[in-house]
Amino acid sequence: PHDGITVFLGVRLDRRADIAKLRARAHPRDAALNRVRQPFNVNSLALHAATAALNDHAHINQCVEHNSKAMRLFEQTLQHMGLPYIPSAGNFIVIDFSKPAAPLYEALLRQGVIVRPVASYAMPNYLRITLGTEQENTRFFAALATVLTA
């Protein structure tokens, strides 16, 4: 960190979706920088981190396998629960609740489970769920069952 600036770097790889996202963000106090920078710009440190990550084939394969396993779990569990979803090749799934999802979003949030509403995409009955660890996915489904039966 430098005086007044803190940079957070993150690299996200998802071979199933054939994407690599790189992010570098300045501290909120540096709003002036954000007004003039290009969207999704990266610095040399982020590029080096991405190159190293892309060359770690074992880790990439492990992430792809985890994502595939988690997606199968979500698809099977949602089918068992009778909840339609949009098939996905990414690290998230979008569930159709066939009714406004905002109350479900709020109820899940109160349970400590953060999901993403997609009403701004003209999808008020849907929630976007990021696939997580086995423990996170188990917690999501437990909270979802509780919310749906309340």
Side-chain angles (χ1 to χ4, degrees), residues 12 21 23 40 91-97 101-102 104-106 108-109 113-121 123-131 140:
R12 175 178 213 124
K21 294 181 182 176
R23 293 190 179 126
F40 306 110
N91 68 335
F92 63 89
I93 195 162
V94 180
I95 304 171
D96 179 2
F97 292 96
L104 297 171
Y105 165 76
E106 294 294 335
L108 287 168
L109 199 55
V113 176
I114 301 171
V115 297
R116 184 173 183 187
V118 289
S120 62
Y121 296 104
M123 300 170 71
N125 296 344
Y126 295 77
L127 292 174
R128 178 189 185 276
I129 317 302
T130 301
L131 307 180
F140 165 74

Side-chain angles (χ1 to χ4, degrees), residues 70-89:
M71 185 61 75
R72 284 190 301 275
L73 170 72
F74 266 79
E75 291 171 343
Q76 292 169 357
T77 305
L78 293 171
Q79 287 171 4
H80 179 74
M81 295 175 80
L83 292 171
Y85 58 90
I86 298 173
S88 174

Side-chain angles (χ1 to χ4, degrees), residues 1-8 24-34:
H2 296 282
D3 191 26
I5 295 179
T6 305
V7 176
F8 302 94
R25 286 190 293 186
H27 191 278
R29 291 176 288 186
D30 299 306
L33 290 175
N34 285 328

Side-chain angles (χ1 to χ4, degrees), residues 23-47:
R23 293 190 179 126
R25 286 190 293 186
H27 191 278
R29 291 176 288 186
D30 299 306
L33 290 175
N34 285 328
R35 285 194 300 270
V36 297
R37 74 174 176 84
Q38 294 294 315
F40 306 110
N41 67 331
V42 295
N43 61 31
S44 61
L45 185 55
L47 291 173

Side-chain angles (χ1 to χ4, degrees), residues 51-71:
T51 300
L54 289 170
N55 288 324
D56 187 350
H57 301 290
H59 180 70
I60 290 171
N61 291 336
Q62 182 182 15
C63 291
V64 169
E65 178 57 34
H66 167 77
N67 193 75
S68 297
K69 182 179 176 183
M71 185 61 75

